[in-house]
């Protein structure tokens, strides 16, 4: 039988039908809200990894043997530098491929990835598949980018501490332009943008930069001995002719201005003068930026071989190409480059 207290409660509720309905609706809505709130506040770690993140990657799976990393014996060589000047700490597939391809083709070099978003003094990296994958390569080091320390002792230190400099419309790109020149002047070695896929060892391209098209040099690839006079002139030009409001003024245009003066040229051509080389476009810029869509077009193995015969690295022009869909696997030129030159990253792309 129904307990007397519940019976009395039922009689009261039945005698106040509108209030009963209100209480029931209020109780249901409150319960649903609390359930939703708790599901939103649930500890993300208990749900499994979101897309793009994963647990620690098995190096044995992605990098089967040291022979696959090394690709043959090589003498001790200069450092290879990559720089991320934004606060970004979630590397893309292309970023991972750039570093992996450089690590494989430069097994005797330290491949240094300097990232502004990493906390100085923190020895642990963010939990992201790219950091786990790249840590499988013994010659890759991922470190914080200390800009104050980098610019100290150079003509760019005053520019860096100018008030409101960060308000320039292209500031992140200008900052990247500044970092690469100073890195090469201070330490020497090889600098690469994080949208390159490296095909061959670059160490024999010393005191060199590449021609991107008819009359412009590009600093996405630089290779110099430390304290080189050409780089010193670049730093002086950076400060004396600074204009952060014009796209490329501190980058390709700066390098082009200085090289023309260095060689007494009116137009840029593939040449070597006073110890500095301007490399032909096919060496590191085989796909002109105007033709970046070719990266997503299918090519045969023979066409690929011919295209890359004299090429050391391929610039992917990420500023233009980053939103374009790439089928994996496919015969697209870019997909084939991933497959051949950064196979560990390629495996992760196929999984995702």
């Amino acid at each position: 039988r129904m307990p007397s207290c519940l019976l009395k409660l039922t009689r009261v509720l039945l005698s106040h039908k509108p209030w009963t309905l209100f209480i029931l609706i209020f109780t249901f809505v409150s319960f649903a809200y609390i359930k939703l709130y708790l599901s939103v506040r649930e500890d993300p770690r208990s749900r499994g990894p979101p897309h793009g993140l994963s647990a620690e990657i098995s190096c044995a799976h992605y990098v089967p043997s040291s022979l696959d990393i090394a690709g043959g014996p090589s003498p001790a060589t200069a450092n290879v530098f990559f720089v991320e000047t934004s606060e970004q700490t979630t590397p893309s597939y292309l970023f991972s491929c750039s570093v992996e391809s450089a690590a494989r083709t430069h097994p005797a070099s330290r491949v240094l990835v300097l990232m502004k978003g990493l906390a100085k003094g923190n020895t642990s990296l963010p939990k992201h598949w790219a950091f786990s994958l790249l840590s499988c390569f013994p010659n890759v080091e991922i470190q914080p980018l200390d800009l104050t320390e980098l610019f100290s002792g150079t003509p760019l230190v005053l520019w860096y501490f100018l008030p409101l400099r960060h308000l320039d419309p292209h500031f992140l790109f200008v900052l990247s332009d500044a970092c690469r020149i100073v890195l090469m002047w201070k330490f020497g070695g090889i600098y690469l943008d994080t949208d390159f896929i490296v095909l061959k060892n670059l160490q024999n391209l010393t005191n060199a930069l590449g021609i991107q098209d008819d009359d412009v040099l590009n600093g996405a690839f630089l290779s110099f001995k430390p304290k080189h006079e050409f780089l010193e002139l670049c730093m002086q030009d950076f400060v004396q002719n600074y204009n952060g409001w014009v796209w490329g003024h501190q980058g390709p245009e700066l390098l082009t201005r200085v090289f023309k003066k260095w060689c007494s040229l009116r137009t840029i051509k593939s040449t070597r003068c006073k110890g500095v080389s301007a490399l032909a476009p096919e060496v590191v810029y085989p796909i002109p930026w105007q033709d970046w869509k070719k990266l997503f077009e299918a090519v045969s193995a023979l066409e690929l071989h011919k295209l890359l015969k004299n090429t050391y690295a391929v610039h992917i022009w990420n500023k233009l190409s980053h939103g374009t869909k790439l089928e994996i696997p496919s015969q697209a030129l870019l997909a084939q480059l991933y497959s051949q030159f950064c196979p560990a990253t390629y495996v992760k792309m196929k999984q995702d």
Side-chain angles (χ1 to χ4, degrees):
R1 293 184 58 179
M2 184 181 295
S4 59
C5 59
L6 289 180
L7 189 60
K8 291 179 181 178
L9 178 62
T10 302
R11 288 172 181 168
V12 171
L13 291 175
L14 289 175
S15 63
H16 299 81
K17 291 182 181 179
W19 281 105
T20 301
L21 184 61
F22 173 78
I23 291 170
L24 289 173
I25 292 173
F26 179 79
T27 303
F28 175 79
V29 171
S30 299
F31 177 79
Y33 175 80
I34 292 169
K35 186 73 175 173
L36 178 63
Y37 177 79
L38 289 175
S39 67
V40 171
R41 289 296 302 271
E42 181 186 357
D43 185 352
R45 289 171 294 185
S46 66
R47 302 183 203 170
H51 179 72
L53 297 179
S54 68
E56 289 296 312
I57 280 175
S58 169
C59 292
H61 176 67
Y62 284 93
V63 187
S65 74
S66 59
L67 292 176
D68 292 324
I69 302 170
S74 176
T77 50
N79 295 334
V80 179
F81 291 94
F82 292 92
V83 174
E84 176 58 68
T85 53
S86 75
E87 299 293 333
Q88 179 67 258
T89 56
T90 54
S92 65
Y93 297 117
L94 181 53
F95 185 114
S96 175
C97 183
S98 297
V99 179
E100 180 188 343
S101 62
R104 288 181 182 276
T105 51
H106 300 78
S109 300
R110 292 170 70 205
V111 178
L112 293 165
V113 183
L114 307 177
M115 303 185 72
K116 185 172 179 287
L118 296 180
K120 188 177 179 182
N122 188 354
T123 56
S124 62
L125 293 170
K127 292 186 180 302
H128 189 274
W129 67 264
F131 293 125
S132 294
L133 187 152
L134 294 175
S135 295
C136 293
F137 294 86
N139 56 334
V140 172
E141 299 178 27
I142 303 170
Q143 300 177 3
L145 174 62
D146 187 332
L147 292 169
T148 302
E149 182 180 341
L150 178 63
F151 292 128
S152 66
T154 75
L156 274 69
V157 69
L158 294 177
W159 162 79
Y160 179 65
F161 285 107
L162 279 175
L164 305 181
R165 59 171 171 72
H166 60 281
L167 297 179
D168 292 351
H170 309 299
F171 174 68
L172 279 180
F173 299 99
V174 171
L175 182 59
S176 178
D177 293 331
C179 287
R180 67 191 69 185
I181 295 172
V182 173
L183 275 170
M184 291 294 95
W185 182 78
K186 274 193 166 184
F187 307 108
I190 294 167
Y191 166 84
L192 291 166
D193 274 1
T194 55
D195 57 350
F196 259 108
I197 298 179
V198 185
L199 318 186
K200 301 172 187 173
N201 191 291
L202 298 160
Q203 294 290 350
N204 63 335
L205 305 178
T206 308
N207 298 333
L209 63 171
I211 300 173
Q212 75 168 33
D213 50 34
D214 293 341
D215 200 37
V216 179
L217 291 167
N218 194 309
F221 158 81
L222 296 171
S223 177
F224 278 90
K225 297 290 186 183
K227 304 299 189 291
H228 198 285
E229 185 185 352
F230 178 80
L231 297 171
E232 196 167 339
L233 293 173
C234 288
M235 290 191 295
Q236 292 171 9
D237 186 285
F238 189 100
V239 176
Q240 292 168 4
N241 300 306
Y242 182 76
N243 187 339
W245 290 78
V246 177
W247 169 260
H249 187 80
Q250 305 305 120
E253 290 184 20
L254 180 151
L255 295 168
T256 303
R257 287 193 303 271
V258 175
F259 190 78
K260 284 181 176 179
K261 291 178 184 177
W262 180 263
C263 297
S264 301
L265 294 174
R266 288 193 174 184
T267 58
I268 293 294
K269 58 184 179 182
S270 178
T271 185
R272 182 173 181 84
C273 67
K274 293 160 62 171
V276 179
S277 296
L279 304 173
E282 62 263 24
V283 179
V284 287
Y285 304 110
I287 308 295
W289 65 268
Q290 300 92 331
D291 299 331
W292 65 268
K293 290 183 180 179
K294 286 185 178 179
L295 291 161
F296 298 87
E297 296 173 3
V299 296
S300 67
L302 181 61
E303 288 176 299
L304 180 64
H305 177 73
K306 286 180 180 178
L307 178 66
L308 305 179
K309 185 178 179 181
N310 299 313
T311 299
Y312 282 71
V314 180
H315 195 221
I316 307 303
W317 308 109
N318 187 54
K319 184 173 172 56
L320 299 168
S321 65
H322 72 276
T324 307
K325 184 179 179 182
L326 177 65
E327 293 290 343
I328 294 291
S330 73
Q331 291 302 305
L333 171 57
L334 183 53
Q336 293 193 58
L337 292 177
Y338 274 114
S339 174
Q340 292 184 40
F341 300 103
C342 54
T345 301
Y346 184 70
V347 168
K348 182 70 172 88
M349 294 174 75
K350 287 198 297 184
Q351 286 181 350
D352 290 348

